Amino acid sequence: MTEFFTPFATGVQSSHLNDKVLNKKLIEFAVLQKTKNKARSISNVGGFQSEMYNPNTETNPIIQTFIKAVTPHLERYVERYEIKQPYTVSPANTWINVNGKGDYNLQHSHAGGINACDFSGVYYAQVPQDSGDLVLVNPDSLALQQKTYYYENNKYNPFNSSKYTIVPKPMDLILFSSHIHHHVLPSQNSKQFRISYAFNFDVCKS
């Protein structure tokens, strides 16, 4: 008997919030912050990236409502890891990204460093056409050294892909492990901004 199995996996969860009222408020809030505040430069090349908001102390009702809306999805995602209870899923920080034509984000991960976290996510408030896809990079760097990754494939699957590209839609929520390197392709849209809310969260043992 031959058995084929997958001993290790990297899970990504995609959800659609479908809350048009909240989404409109998030777009308006992001545009306001871009107008009022100076951008910081972390992974972004061009565009606007806000300072981090701490969801545990933030009093702004828009941020509070946003965190409340995404938290059930975070909890559902963490269930896949079968962590023994009790534990809590706690948002760590969140920030706004506003990209115009030519703006993009360099490859990076959210693991390690002074803001180390367990999981990361991004919510897409406004996504005009050709405004920059999200690219996730295969975290198995040793496997990527094998020559089989340079051969032509009949089709791509989880065993032969070096990267995975997500074409987001408005109100999509993408969750993934913080160790996954990712980047955002340059926006080609000169008429509208691409607006997203990125965030990190942790699993805290009680």
PDB file of all heavy atoms in Angstrom, residues 22-54:
ATOM      1  N   LEU A  22     -19.850  49.527   7.245  1.00  0.00           N
ATOM      2  CA  LEU A  22     -18.532  49.599   7.873  1.00  0.00           C
ATOM      3  C   LEU A  22     -17.454  49.887   6.838  1.00  0.00           C
ATOM      4  O   LEU A  22     -16.551  50.702   7.080  1.00  0.00           O
ATOM      5  CB  LEU A  22     -18.219  48.289   8.592  1.00  0.00           C
ATOM      6  CG  LEU A  22     -16.796  48.168   9.166  1.00  0.00           C
ATOM      7  CD1 LEU A  22     -16.504  49.272  10.175  1.00  0.00           C
ATOM      8  CD2 LEU A  22     -16.589  46.787   9.786  1.00  0.00           C
ATOM      9  N   ASN A  23     -17.545  49.239   5.689  1.00  0.00           N
ATOM     10  CA  ASN A  23     -16.524  49.431   4.661  1.00  0.00           C
ATOM     11  C   ASN A  23     -16.446  50.887   4.216  1.00  0.00           C
ATOM     12  O   ASN A  23     -15.352  51.439   4.027  1.00  0.00           O
ATOM     13  CB  ASN A  23     -16.814  48.523   3.467  1.00  0.00           C
ATOM     14  CG  ASN A  23     -15.634  48.398   2.537  1.00  0.00           C
ATOM     15  OD1 ASN A  23     -14.624  47.785   2.878  1.00  0.00           O
ATOM     16  ND2 ASN A  23     -15.734  48.978   1.354  1.00  0.00           N
ATOM     17  N   LYS A  24     -17.599  51.533   4.050  1.00  0.00           N
ATOM     18  CA  LYS A  24     -17.613  52.945   3.654  1.00  0.00           C
ATOM     19  C   LYS A  24     -16.932  53.811   4.719  1.00  0.00           C
ATOM     20  O   LYS A  24     -16.157  54.724   4.387  1.00  0.00           O
ATOM     21  CB  LYS A  24     -19.053  53.409   3.437  1.00  0.00           C
ATOM     22  CG  LYS A  24     -19.158  54.859   2.977  1.00  0.00           C
ATOM     23  CD  LYS A  24     -20.615  55.278   2.749  1.00  0.00           C
ATOM     24  CE  LYS A  24     -20.707  56.733   2.328  1.00  0.00           C
ATOM     25  NZ  LYS A  24     -22.117  57.161   2.134  1.00  0.00           N
ATOM     26  N   LYS A  25     -17.204  53.516   5.981  1.00  0.00           N
ATOM     27  CA  LYS A  25     -16.582  54.275   7.066  1.00  0.00           C
ATOM     28  C   LYS A  25     -15.073  54.059   7.090  1.00  0.00           C
ATOM     29  O   LYS A  25     -14.307  54.999   7.351  1.00  0.00           O
ATOM     30  CB  LYS A  25     -17.191  53.867   8.408  1.00  0.00           C
ATOM     31  CG  LYS A  25     -18.637  54.295   8.581  1.00  0.00           C
ATOM     32  CD  LYS A  25     -19.184  53.843   9.922  1.00  0.00           C
ATOM     33  CE  LYS A  25     -20.642  54.279  10.095  1.00  0.00           C
ATOM     34  NZ  LYS A  25     -21.201  53.810  11.394  1.00  0.00           N
ATOM     35  N   LEU A  26     -14.625  52.843   6.803  1.00  0.00           N
ATOM     36  CA  LEU A  26     -13.195  52.551   6.790  1.00  0.00           C
ATOM     37  C   LEU A  26     -12.489  53.288   5.650  1.00  0.00           C
ATOM     38  O   LEU A  26     -11.364  53.774   5.812  1.00  0.00           O
ATOM     39  CB  LEU A  26     -12.966  51.043   6.672  1.00  0.00           C
ATOM     40  CG  LEU A  26     -13.328  50.219   7.908  1.00  0.00           C
ATOM     41  CD1 LEU A  26     -13.296  48.729   7.593  1.00  0.00           C
ATOM     42  CD2 LEU A  26     -12.388  50.540   9.066  1.00  0.00           C
ATOM     43  N   ILE A  27     -13.140  53.378   4.503  1.00  0.00           N
ATOM     44  CA  ILE A  27     -12.568  54.126   3.383  1.00  0.00           C
ATOM     45  C   ILE A  27     -12.452  55.606   3.742  1.00  0.00           C
ATOM     46  O   ILE A  27     -11.398  56.230   3.545  1.00  0.00           O
ATOM     47  CB  ILE A  27     -13.424  53.937   2.108  1.00  0.00           C
ATOM     48  CG1 ILE A  27     -13.334  52.495   1.611  1.00  0.00           C
ATOM     49  CG2 ILE A  27     -12.979  54.911   1.013  1.00  0.00           C
ATOM     50  CD1 ILE A  27     -14.278  52.185   0.470  1.00  0.00           C
ATOM     51  N   GLU A  28     -13.507  56.170   4.276  1.00  0.00           N
ATOM     52  CA  GLU A  28     -13.506  57.589   4.648  1.00  0.00           C
ATOM     53  C   GLU A  28     -12.461  57.879   5.714  1.00  0.00           C
ATOM     54  O   GLU A  28     -11.760  58.902   5.653  1.00  0.00           O
ATOM     55  CB  GLU A  28     -14.901  57.989   5.132  1.00  0.00           C
ATOM     56  CG  GLU A  28     -15.954  57.981   4.037  1.00  0.00           C
ATOM     57  CD  GLU A  28     -17.364  58.192   4.567  1.00  0.00           C
ATOM     58  OE1 GLU A  28     -17.553  58.113   5.808  1.00  0.00           O
ATOM     59  OE2 GLU A  28     -18.286  58.419   3.754  1.00  0.00           O
ATOM     60  N   PHE A  29     -12.336  56.980   6.685  1.00  0.00           N
ATOM     61  CA  PHE A  29     -11.360  57.171   7.760  1.00  0.00           C
ATOM     62  C   PHE A  29      -9.934  57.108   7.209  1.00  0.00           C
ATOM     63  O   PHE A  29      -9.069  57.909   7.588  1.00  0.00           O
ATOM     64  CB  PHE A  29     -11.551  56.103   8.836  1.00  0.00           C
ATOM     65  CG  PHE A  29     -10.627  56.238  10.005  1.00  0.00           C
ATOM     66  CD1 PHE A  29     -10.781  57.264  10.935  1.00  0.00           C
ATOM     67  CD2 PHE A  29      -9.586  55.338  10.198  1.00  0.00           C
ATOM     68  CE1 PHE A  29      -9.919  57.386  12.018  1.00  0.00           C
ATOM     69  CE2 PHE A  29      -8.729  55.446  11.276  1.00  0.00           C
ATOM     70  CZ  PHE A  29      -8.892  56.474  12.192  1.00  0.00           C
ATOM     71  N   ALA A  30      -9.681  56.188   6.288  1.00  0.00           N
ATOM     72  CA  ALA A  30      -8.343  56.056   5.704  1.00  0.00           C
ATOM     73  C   ALA A  30      -7.962  57.298   4.904  1.00  0.00           C
ATOM     74  O   ALA A  30      -6.833  57.796   5.007  1.00  0.00           O
ATOM     75  CB  ALA A  30      -8.292  54.812   4.812  1.00  0.00           C
ATOM     76  N   VAL A  31      -8.885  57.807   4.108  1.00  0.00           N
ATOM     77  CA  VAL A  31      -8.617  59.011   3.313  1.00  0.00           C
ATOM     78  C   VAL A  31      -8.359  60.197   4.235  1.00  0.00           C
ATOM     79  O   VAL A  31      -7.464  61.017   3.976  1.00  0.00           O
ATOM     80  CB  VAL A  31      -9.791  59.297   2.365  1.00  0.00           C
ATOM     81  CG1 VAL A  31      -9.612  60.645   1.676  1.00  0.00           C
ATOM     82  CG2 VAL A  31      -9.930  58.188   1.321  1.00  0.00           C
ATOM     83  N   LEU A  32      -9.110  60.285   5.318  1.00  0.00           N
ATOM     84  CA  LEU A  32      -8.906  61.370   6.284  1.00  0.00           C
ATOM     85  C   LEU A  32      -7.530  61.293   6.923  1.00  0.00           C
ATOM     86  O   LEU A  32      -6.838  62.310   7.055  1.00  0.00           O
ATOM     87  CB  LEU A  32      -9.992  61.314   7.361  1.00  0.00           C
ATOM     88  CG  LEU A  32      -9.899  62.365   8.481  1.00  0.00           C
ATOM     89  CD1 LEU A  32     -10.055  63.773   7.901  1.00  0.00           C
ATOM     90  CD2 LEU A  32     -10.950  62.098   9.546  1.00  0.00           C
ATOM     91  N   GLN A  33      -7.109  60.082   7.309  1.00  0.00           N
ATOM     92  CA  GLN A  33      -5.799  59.924   7.935  1.00  0.00           C
ATOM     93  C   GLN A  33      -4.679  60.267   6.954  1.00  0.00           C
ATOM     94  O   GLN A  33      -3.662  60.853   7.332  1.00  0.00           O
ATOM     95  CB  GLN A  33      -5.626  58.486   8.453  1.00  0.00           C
ATOM     96  CG  GLN A  33      -6.613  58.090   9.529  1.00  0.00           C
ATOM     97  CD  GLN A  33      -6.671  59.101  10.659  1.00  0.00           C
ATOM     98  OE1 GLN A  33      -5.666  59.382  11.314  1.00  0.00           O
ATOM     99  NE2 GLN A  33      -7.844  59.660  10.887  1.00  0.00           N
ATOM    100  N   LYS A  34      -4.860  59.898   5.689  1.00  0.00           N
ATOM    101  CA  LYS A  34      -3.858  60.226   4.672  1.00  0.00           C
ATOM    102  C   LYS A  34      -3.746  61.732   4.499  1.00  0.00           C
ATOM    103  O   LYS A  34      -2.646  62.265   4.280  1.00  0.00           O
ATOM    104  CB  LYS A  34      -4.233  59.561   3.343  1.00  0.00           C
ATOM    105  CG  LYS A  34      -3.253  59.830   2.204  1.00  0.00           C
ATOM    106  CD  LYS A  34      -3.707  59.159   0.925  1.00  0.00           C
ATOM    107  CE  LYS A  34      -2.693  59.387  -0.199  1.00  0.00           C
ATOM    108  NZ  LYS A  34      -2.514  60.810  -0.526  1.00  0.00           N
ATOM    109  N   THR A  35      -4.862  62.435   4.607  1.00  0.00           N
ATOM    110  CA  THR A  35      -4.882  63.887   4.432  1.00  0.00           C
ATOM    111  C   THR A  35      -4.260  64.609   5.622  1.00  0.00           C
ATOM    112  O   THR A  35      -3.525  65.592   5.456  1.00  0.00           O
ATOM    113  CB  THR A  35      -6.337  64.375   4.247  1.00  0.00           C
ATOM    114  OG1 THR A  35      -6.919  63.697   3.129  1.00  0.00           O
ATOM    115  CG2 THR A  35      -6.369  65.878   4.002  1.00  0.00           C
ATOM    116  N   LYS A  36      -4.515  64.097   6.816  1.00  0.00           N
ATOM    117  CA  LYS A  36      -4.116  64.791   8.034  1.00  0.00           C
ATOM    118  C   LYS A  36      -2.715  64.447   8.527  1.00  0.00           C
ATOM    119  O   LYS A  36      -2.045  65.283   9.143  1.00  0.00           O
ATOM    120  CB  LYS A  36      -5.115  64.462   9.163  1.00  0.00           C
ATOM    121  CG  LYS A  36      -6.497  65.058   8.983  1.00  0.00           C
ATOM    122  CD  LYS A  36      -7.442  64.556  10.046  1.00  0.00           C
ATOM    123  CE  LYS A  36      -6.879  64.773  11.458  1.00  0.00           C
ATOM    124  NZ  LYS A  36      -7.835  64.293  12.500  1.00  0.00           N
ATOM    125  N   ASN A  37      -2.241  63.236   8.275  1.00  0.00           N
ATOM    126  CA  ASN A  37      -1.034  62.739   8.930  1.00  0.00           C
ATOM    127  C   ASN A  37       0.098  62.449   7.954  1.00  0.00           C
ATOM    128  O   ASN A  37      -0.136  62.164   6.775  1.00  0.00           O
ATOM    129  CB  ASN A  37      -1.350  61.472   9.733  1.00  0.00           C
ATOM    130  CG  ASN A  37      -2.392  61.727  10.805  1.00  0.00           C
ATOM    131  OD1 ASN A  37      -2.281  62.677  11.560  1.00  0.00           O
ATOM    132  ND2 ASN A  37      -3.399  60.873  10.870  1.00  0.00           N
ATOM    133  N   LYS A  38       1.288  62.492   8.480  1.00  0.00           N
ATOM    134  CA  LYS A  38       2.482  62.161   7.705  1.00  0.00           C
ATOM    135  C   LYS A  38       2.624  60.642   7.602  1.00  0.00           C
ATOM    136  O   LYS A  38       2.392  59.924   8.575  1.00  0.00           O
ATOM    137  CB  LYS A  38       3.723  62.763   8.370  1.00  0.00           C
ATOM    138  CG  LYS A  38       5.012  62.528   7.608  1.00  0.00           C
ATOM    139  CD  LYS A  38       6.185  63.179   8.332  1.00  0.00           C
ATOM    140  CE  LYS A  38       7.494  62.925   7.582  1.00  0.00           C
ATOM    141  NZ  LYS A  38       8.660  63.545   8.280  1.00  0.00           N
ATOM    142  N   ALA A  39       3.018  60.166   6.426  1.00  0.00           N
ATOM    143  CA  ALA A  39       3.178  58.727   6.223  1.00  0.00           C
ATOM    144  C   ALA A  39       4.471  58.242   6.862  1.00  0.00           C
ATOM    145  O   ALA A  39       5.465  58.959   6.927  1.00  0.00           O
ATOM    146  CB  ALA A  39       3.185  58.404   4.734  1.00  0.00           C
ATOM    147  N   ARG A  40       4.453  57.008   7.345  1.00  0.00           N
ATOM    148  CA  ARG A  40       5.690  56.376   7.786  1.00  0.00           C
ATOM    149  C   ARG A  40       6.185  55.477   6.653  1.00  0.00           C
ATOM    150  O   ARG A  40       5.430  55.130   5.727  1.00  0.00           O
ATOM    151  CB  ARG A  40       5.463  55.557   9.059  1.00  0.00           C
ATOM    152  CG  ARG A  40       4.541  54.374   8.888  1.00  0.00           C
ATOM    153  CD  ARG A  40       4.489  53.521  10.139  1.00  0.00           C
ATOM    154  NE  ARG A  40       3.653  52.346   9.902  1.00  0.00           N
ATOM    155  CZ  ARG A  40       3.758  51.220  10.577  1.00  0.00           C
ATOM    156  NH1 ARG A  40       4.661  51.112  11.544  1.00  0.00           N
ATOM    157  NH2 ARG A  40       2.976  50.192  10.314  1.00  0.00           N
ATOM    158  N   SER A  41       7.446  55.097   6.705  1.00  0.00           N
ATOM    159  CA  SER A  41       8.025  54.260   5.661  1.00  0.00           C
ATOM    160  C   SER A  41       8.565  52.990   6.298  1.00  0.00           C
ATOM    161  O   SER A  41       9.564  53.023   7.020  1.00  0.00           O
ATOM    162  CB  SER A  41       9.148  55.011   4.930  1.00  0.00           C
ATOM    163  OG  SER A  41       9.701  54.206   3.914  1.00  0.00           O
ATOM    164  N   ILE A  42       7.895  51.877   6.040  1.00  0.00           N
ATOM    165  CA  ILE A  42       8.325  50.582   6.574  1.00  0.00           C
ATOM    166  C   ILE A  42       8.570  49.635   5.390  1.00  0.00           C
ATOM    167  O   ILE A  42       9.690  49.501   4.919  1.00  0.00           O
ATOM    168  CB  ILE A  42       7.277  49.990   7.544  1.00  0.00           C
ATOM    169  CG1 ILE A  42       6.993  50.986   8.677  1.00  0.00           C
ATOM    170  CG2 ILE A  42       7.787  48.661   8.128  1.00  0.00           C
ATOM    171  CD1 ILE A  42       8.153  51.260   9.593  1.00  0.00           C
ATOM    172  N   SER A  43       7.513  49.020   4.885  1.00  0.00           N
ATOM    173  CA  SER A  43       7.652  48.156   3.707  1.00  0.00           C
ATOM    174  C   SER A  43       7.183  48.862   2.444  1.00  0.00           C
ATOM    175  O   SER A  43       7.390  48.360   1.340  1.00  0.00           O
ATOM    176  CB  SER A  43       6.844  46.866   3.894  1.00  0.00           C
ATOM    177  OG  SER A  43       5.452  47.156   3.893  1.00  0.00           O
ATOM    178  N   ASN A  44       6.532  50.002   2.617  1.00  0.00           N
ATOM    179  CA  ASN A  44       5.917  50.677   1.471  1.00  0.00           C
ATOM    180  C   ASN A  44       6.932  51.489   0.667  1.00  0.00           C
ATOM    181  O   ASN A  44       7.816  52.137   1.217  1.00  0.00           O
ATOM    182  CB  ASN A  44       4.780  51.576   1.947  1.00  0.00           C
ATOM    183  CG  ASN A  44       5.200  52.560   3.025  1.00  0.00           C
ATOM    184  OD1 ASN A  44       5.790  52.165   4.033  1.00  0.00           O
ATOM    185  ND2 ASN A  44       4.902  53.832   2.838  1.00  0.00           N
ATOM    186  N   VAL A  45       6.780  51.421  -0.635  1.00  0.00           N
ATOM    187  CA  VAL A  45       7.532  52.279  -1.561  1.00  0.00           C
ATOM    188  C   VAL A  45       6.503  53.186  -2.212  1.00  0.00           C
ATOM    189  O   VAL A  45       5.732  52.764  -3.070  1.00  0.00           O
ATOM    190  CB  VAL A  45       8.293  51.457  -2.609  1.00  0.00           C
ATOM    191  CG1 VAL A  45       9.020  52.390  -3.575  1.00  0.00           C
ATOM    192  CG2 VAL A  45       9.261  50.500  -1.945  1.00  0.00           C
ATOM    193  N   GLY A  46       6.476  54.441  -1.763  1.00  0.00           N
ATOM    194  CA  GLY A  46       5.410  55.335  -2.161  1.00  0.00           C
ATOM    195  C   GLY A  46       4.165  55.035  -1.336  1.00  0.00           C
ATOM    196  O   GLY A  46       4.166  54.195  -0.438  1.00  0.00           O
ATOM    197  N   GLY A  47       3.108  55.724  -1.637  1.00  0.00           N
ATOM    198  CA  GLY A  47       1.863  55.484  -0.933  1.00  0.00           C
ATOM    199  C   GLY A  47       1.884  56.005   0.497  1.00  0.00           C
ATOM    200  O   GLY A  47       2.848  56.631   0.945  1.00  0.00           O
ATOM    201  N   PHE A  48       0.803  55.732   1.192  1.00  0.00           N
ATOM    202  CA  PHE A  48       0.645  56.175   2.584  1.00  0.00           C
ATOM    203  C   PHE A  48       0.504  54.959   3.485  1.00  0.00           C
ATOM    204  O   PHE A  48      -0.303  54.071   3.225  1.00  0.00           O
ATOM    205  CB  PHE A  48      -0.596  57.055   2.729  1.00  0.00           C
ATOM    206  CG  PHE A  48      -0.958  57.384   4.156  1.00  0.00           C
ATOM    207  CD1 PHE A  48      -0.292  58.390   4.837  1.00  0.00           C
ATOM    208  CD2 PHE A  48      -1.950  56.676   4.817  1.00  0.00           C
ATOM    209  CE1 PHE A  48      -0.615  58.693   6.162  1.00  0.00           C
ATOM    210  CE2 PHE A  48      -2.283  56.974   6.131  1.00  0.00           C
ATOM    211  CZ  PHE A  48      -1.615  57.981   6.807  1.00  0.00           C
ATOM    212  N   GLN A  49       1.325  54.920   4.528  1.00  0.00           N
ATOM    213  CA  GLN A  49       1.189  53.909   5.580  1.00  0.00           C
ATOM    214  C   GLN A  49       1.088  54.651   6.903  1.00  0.00           C
ATOM    215  O   GLN A  49       1.975  55.427   7.260  1.00  0.00           O
ATOM    216  CB  GLN A  49       2.369  52.941   5.585  1.00  0.00           C
ATOM    217  CG  GLN A  49       2.170  51.758   6.526  1.00  0.00           C
ATOM    218  CD  GLN A  49       3.241  50.693   6.371  1.00  0.00           C
ATOM    219  OE1 GLN A  49       4.096  50.547   7.223  1.00  0.00           O
ATOM    220  NE2 GLN A  49       3.199  49.955   5.266  1.00  0.00           N
ATOM    221  N   SER A  50      -0.008  54.427   7.609  1.00  0.00           N
ATOM    222  CA  SER A  50      -0.252  55.159   8.853  1.00  0.00           C
ATOM    223  C   SER A  50       0.600  54.624   9.992  1.00  0.00           C
ATOM    224  O   SER A  50       1.240  53.573   9.881  1.00  0.00           O
ATOM    225  CB  SER A  50      -1.731  55.045   9.244  1.00  0.00           C
ATOM    226  OG  SER A  50      -2.016  53.750   9.747  1.00  0.00           O
ATOM    227  N   GLU A  51       0.591  55.353  11.091  1.00  0.00           N
ATOM    228  CA  GLU A  51       1.169  54.832  12.315  1.00  0.00           C
ATOM    229  C   GLU A  51       0.318  53.658  12.801  1.00  0.00           C
ATOM    230  O   GLU A  51      -0.835  53.493  12.406  1.00  0.00           O
ATOM    231  CB  GLU A  51       1.207  55.928  13.390  1.00  0.00           C
ATOM    232  CG  GLU A  51       2.146  57.077  13.063  1.00  0.00           C
ATOM    233  CD  GLU A  51       3.611  56.647  12.983  1.00  0.00           C
ATOM    234  OE1 GLU A  51       3.997  55.714  13.740  1.00  0.00           O
ATOM    235  OE2 GLU A  51       4.348  57.219  12.174  1.00  0.00           O
ATOM    236  N   MET A  52       0.886  52.850  13.691  1.00  0.00           N
ATOM    237  CA  MET A  52       0.140  51.704  14.211  1.00  0.00           C
ATOM    238  C   MET A  52      -0.880  52.150  15.257  1.00  0.00           C
ATOM    239  O   MET A  52      -0.605  53.011  16.080  1.00  0.00           O
ATOM    240  CB  MET A  52       1.093  50.685  14.836  1.00  0.00           C
ATOM    241  CG  MET A  52       1.901  49.895  13.838  1.00  0.00           C
ATOM    242  SD  MET A  52       2.809  48.558  14.649  1.00  0.00           S
ATOM    243  CE  MET A  52       3.618  47.802  13.244  1.00  0.00           C
ATOM    244  N   TYR A  53      -2.040  51.532  15.185  1.00  0.00           N
ATOM    245  CA  TYR A  53      -3.054  51.692  16.215  1.00  0.00           C
ATOM    246  C   TYR A  53      -3.019  50.454  17.109  1.00  0.00           C
ATOM    247  O   TYR A  53      -2.910  49.331  16.611  1.00  0.00           O
ATOM    248  CB  TYR A  53      -4.447  51.815  15.592  1.00  0.00           C
ATOM    249  CG  TYR A  53      -4.600  52.927  14.594  1.00  0.00           C
ATOM    250  CD1 TYR A  53      -4.446  52.689  13.231  1.00  0.00           C
ATOM    251  CD2 TYR A  53      -4.915  54.218  15.010  1.00  0.00           C
ATOM    252  CE1 TYR A  53      -4.593  53.712  12.301  1.00  0.00           C
ATOM    253  CE2 TYR A  53      -5.064  55.247  14.078  1.00  0.00           C
ATOM    254  CZ  TYR A  53      -4.903  54.986  12.734  1.00  0.00           C
ATOM    255  OH  TYR A  53      -5.057  56.000  11.816  1.00  0.00           O
ATOM    256  N   ASN A  54      -3.117  50.667  18.413  1.00  0.00           N
ATOM    257  CA  ASN A  54      -3.179  49.557  19.357  1.00  0.00           C
ATOM    258  C   ASN A  54      -4.655  49.258  19.634  1.00  0.00           C
ATOM    259  O   ASN A  54      -5.327  50.042  20.303  1.00  0.00           O
ATOM    260  CB  ASN A  54      -2.456  49.916  20.652  1.00  0.00           C
ATOM    261  CG  ASN A  54      -2.425  48.762  21.651  1.00  0.00           C
ATOM    262  OD1 ASN A  54      -3.249  47.842  21.582  1.00  0.00           O
ATOM    263  ND2 ASN A  54      -1.483  48.798  22.564  1.00  0.00           N
TER     264      ASN A  54
END
